């Protein structure tokens, strides 16, 4: 079993409040979950309205599938015009049952 996750540091565009931030981040989280079948959440920078930390995680039977999905998630996030992807960190672990 392989477990993988990716974390994004995102700079939001023309956002002036936490309410506006939610209106950008919630649709992103919903689309990532729907399109890639991953678990997603805003995992940091909750009190800053122009920054967000978003994480996505996945469990897969083989590493190739895990890497393919996480790479596709990263490409999708990087292509979004409403914010700038500042950095991403990815990690994969294999269970040692």
């Amino acid at each position: 079993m392989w477990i993988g996750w990716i974390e994004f540091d995102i700079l939001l565009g023309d956002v002036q409040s936490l309410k506006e931030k939610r209106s950008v981040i919630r649709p992103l989280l919903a689309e990532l979950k729907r399109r890639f079948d991953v678990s997603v959440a805003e995992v940091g920078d909750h009190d800053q309205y122009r920054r967000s930390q978003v994480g996505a995680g996945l469990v897969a039977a083989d590493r190739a599938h895990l890497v393919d999905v996480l790479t596709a998630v990263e490409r999708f996030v990087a292509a979004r015009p409403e914010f700038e992807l500042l950095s991403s960190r990815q990690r994969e672990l294999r269970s040692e049952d």
Side-chain angles (χ1 to χ4, degrees):
M1 175 173 72
W2 286 87
I3 304 161
W5 65 91
I6 189 164
E7 298 173 76
F8 302 106
D9 184 9
I10 297 171
L11 177 64
L12 301 172
D14 189 27
V15 173
Q16 302 300 318
S17 69
L18 291 174
K19 186 176 181 179
E20 286 182 49
K21 176 185 180 178
R22 283 192 308 273
S23 73
V24 173
I25 295 299
R26 279 188 181 161
L28 171 67
L29 300 180
E31 185 64 16
L32 287 171
K33 186 174 185 174
R34 185 191 69 76
R35 185 177 290 216
F36 301 104
D37 198 24
V38 294
S39 296
V40 295
E42 184 179 13
V43 295
D45 291 332
H46 298 285
D47 57 342
Q48 297 181 16
Y49 63 87
R50 293 215 52 229
R51 294 287 291 272
S52 182
Q53 302 284 326
V54 172
L58 173 68
V59 175
D62 61 82
R63 184 178 183 276
H65 176 68
L66 182 84
V67 171
D68 288 346
V69 172
L70 294 179
T71 301
V73 168
E74 183 175 15
R75 280 195 306 264
F76 180 80
V77 171
R80 298 293 289 240
E82 62 270 22
F83 51 76
E84 179 182 350
L85 178 59
L86 298 176
S87 68
S88 65
R89 294 172 301 284
Q90 184 173 326
R91 181 93 191 263
E92 304 100 27
L93 294 173
R94 183 172 185 197
S95 67
E96 303 292 330
D97 291 358

